[in-house]
Amino acid sequence: MNSLPRIEISLTKIYENAKTLVDLYCGKNISIMGVTKVVLGEPSIAQSICNGGVEFLADSRIDNIIKMKNSGVIAKFVLLRTTKNDAKTIVQNVDISLNTEIETLEELSKQATKYNIVHKVIIMVELGDLREGVMPYDVIKFIKKVNRMTHIKIIGLGCNLACFAGVKPDRRNMNQLTQLVDMIEKKFNISMKVITGGNSSNYNWFQSNHDVGAINNLRLGESIFLGLEPLYRKRIFGLHTDAFRLFGEVVESKLKPSIPTGNLAQNGFGEKPLFLDRGMETRVIIALGRQDVDTPNLKLTNEIEILGSSSDHLIINPKKHIFKIGDEVEFGLNYSGLLTAMTSPFVKKVFNN
Ligand SMILES: *Cc1c(COP(=O)(O)O)cnc(C)c1O
């Protein structure tokens, strides 16, 4: 029998999602970076993405990139979040890094000079979502400074939206990126090769705008893995939404009161849950807790109600379903569920076709 808890991963579905997205975005000359951070740079998954026609693999962690390279995955590797203290490892292992700080770039330049490498960078600009990015009015000054670094080559400009504040990519902010590109190219008489306009959330903008301006690249994680656009979490036509499935084991099933007995204070997680008196009800416990997966964000594929969770126990109301001790229960995963389940050492990763 298969061990529990486990996440079953369909490499074929990931490959098909990557291929469908490459074909779709290619229609407006947009190339794809497959973002592997949510799967910790798992080499077999990275390879499936490459087999789908993706030429860049991007990750926020250098360790994940090194893992993919050591396993023989061949792609252009992009580092999404650049840390000054890893500069040496970065110039030695990464083809392109995304950058927003002169101090970090100076260190990259120093290390690149030492190892006689020309390190390629994409400068990220802040267009409203308030995560990473150089302010647009500072970008000229910023690029002037980077141009003086002999072993750093700026190959593009980018932005990231819908991650922190939830700002939607739209015609206005995407045009702003195009205008910045035009201005920089004229001012410095250079041509920037990679204009990376965003992530999976750029899907609706892409579909509703014929003219994508200077944007010729997107960095996709969620849509490849979960088949969704993240703004409204709608399925993208033709994509699989079940490439990852989580399974847990039933460890208890009993008829119990629906309200607690005794005086109430905070629970183990600093919360004060509310209880409705529904009389006696069946309560089933699954051996799946917050140390395995972000339980409050689990999606049930059947009509089952999640009552709550602690470190190692998930309590559900099984409604019409009947569960026996030792049974497997299947859960769907959203982005947060996928991220945490992949990161937990307790969840076995099982690769299927
Ligand atoms: C995580 C990340 C992405 C991928 O985002 P998805 O919503 O999963 O497509 C793209 N760009 C950057 C900078 C990221 O950190």
Side-chain angles (χ1 to χ4, degrees):
M1 216 178 111
N2 273 317
S3 56
L4 290 161
R6 69 173 186 280
I7 184 163
E8 290 195 9
I9 303 163
S10 165
L11 294 175
T12 306
K13 286 179 181 168
I14 294 168
Y15 155 80
E16 287 174 357
N17 280 1
K19 187 170 186 325
T20 305
L21 287 164
V22 165
D23 292 345
L24 171 76
Y25 285 110
C26 182
K28 293 179 194 167
N29 288 318
I30 289 181
S31 68
I32 300 303
M33 294 179 183
V35 177
T36 48
K37 66 190 182 207
V38 71
V39 296
L40 287 67
E42 179 55 51
S44 56
I45 297 178
Q47 189 59 55
S48 306
I49 294 173
C50 291
N51 294 348
V54 171
E55 59 179 308
F56 301 91
L57 290 177
D59 203 295
S60 43
R61 292 169 199 262
I62 184 74
D63 289 359
N64 291 345
I65 290 180
I66 292 171
K67 177 165 41 167
M68 291 187 272
K69 289 184 85 160
N70 287 346
S71 307
V73 178
I74 294 171
K76 288 180 198 150
F77 287 97
V78 180
L79 186 65
L80 296 170
R81 186 196 62 185
T82 306
T83 40
K84 181 183 167 191
N85 286 307
D86 296 316
K88 177 181 161 192
T89 323
I90 292 168
V91 298
Q92 288 178 324
N93 288 284
V94 165
D95 299 295
I96 304 164
S97 63
L98 308 190
N99 283 276
T100 61
E101 285 292 351
I102 292 293
E103 274 188 51
T104 306
L105 282 155
E106 275 169 349
E107 188 61 26
L108 288 170
S109 177
K110 190 172 134 193
Q111 297 296 335
T113 308
K114 202 152 125 193
Y115 294 96
N116 202 21
I117 296 163
V118 174
H119 183 67
K120 300 191 191 95
V121 300
I122 293 172
I123 306 302
M124 296 295 277
V125 288
E126 163 60 52
L127 293 183
D129 200 55
L130 298 178
R131 207 179 70 179
E132 73 274 38
V134 176
M135 292 304 287
Y137 49 78
D138 283 333
V139 87
I140 292 286
K141 206 169 62 190
F142 190 93
I143 290 180
K144 251 186 209 154
K145 286 187 190 154
V146 182
N147 277 343
R148 286 191 217 116
M149 303 176 187
T150 51
H151 288 66
I152 299 288
K153 184 174 167 52
I154 299 176
I155 63 152
L157 205 68
C159 73
N160 193 57
L161 296 170
C163 261
F164 179 67
V167 171
K168 290 196 248 181
D170 57 20
R171 197 173 306 185
R172 198 193 59 81
N173 45 40
M174 289 299 106
N175 282 349
Q176 199 186 351
L177 186 62
T178 294
Q179 281 163 12
L180 284 169
V181 171
D182 289 346
M183 183 182 73
I184 293 163
E185 289 190 333
K186 282 205 188 84
K187 170 105 187 151
F188 296 101
N189 196 22
I190 53 168
S191 131
M192 286 196 287
K193 280 213 298 266
V194 185
I195 311 304
T196 184
N199 51 46
S200 295
S201 325
N202 281 60
Y203 176 77
N204 294 324
W205 159 80
F206 172 85
Q207 288 294 45
S208 55
N209 285 281
H210 177 70
D211 179 8
V212 295
I215 289 127
N216 64 11
N217 179 269
L218 291 173
R219 310 172 305 273
L220 307 180
E222 180 158 358
S223 55
I224 295 178
F225 297 125
L226 298 179
L228 303 174
E229 60 75 27
L231 295 178
Y232 305 99
R233 298 242 138 68
K234 289 218 181 73
R235 176 176 168 227
I236 295 176
F237 180 76
L239 297 190
H240 303 283
T241 55
D242 59 349
F244 296 84
R245 294 152 76 210
L246 180 70
F247 296 86
E249 177 177 349
V250 175
V251 289
E252 186 186 295
S253 173
K254 291 188 194 306
L255 204 60
K256 292 188 183 181
S258 48
I259 50 168
T261 312
N263 299 317
L264 295 183
Q266 286 180 6
N267 72 9
F269 293 89
E271 306 152 347
K272 277 190 113 177
L274 285 175
F275 296 93
L276 266 172
D277 193 354
R278 302 189 287 206
M280 297 292 278
E281 64 183 0
T282 305
R283 299 170 75 93
V284 169
I285 299 179
I286 318 280
L288 202 57
R290 299 190 197 207
Q291 218 164 19
D292 304 294
V293 60
D294 177 22
T295 40
N297 268 308
L298 277 178
K299 272 196 321 196
L300 283 161
T301 39
N302 304 313
E303 280 184 3
I304 295 169
E305 185 192 357
I306 294 184
L307 297 170
S309 61
S310 57
S311 316
D312 318 290
H313 299 80
L314 178 73
I315 303 138
I316 64 174
N317 178 340
K319 300 268 175 78
K320 288 181 222 121
H321 297 268
I322 293 167
F323 292 115
K324 296 193 302 295
I325 305 309
D327 275 359
E328 285 184 1
V329 183
E330 180 181 339
F331 299 87
L333 292 164
N334 64 7
Y335 194 77
S336 168
L338 178 60
L339 180 85
T340 47
M342 287 303 294
T343 308
S344 172
F346 301 109
V347 179
K348 306 286 176 320
K349 282 76 185 172
V350 179
F351 297 95
N352 297 325
N353 277 323

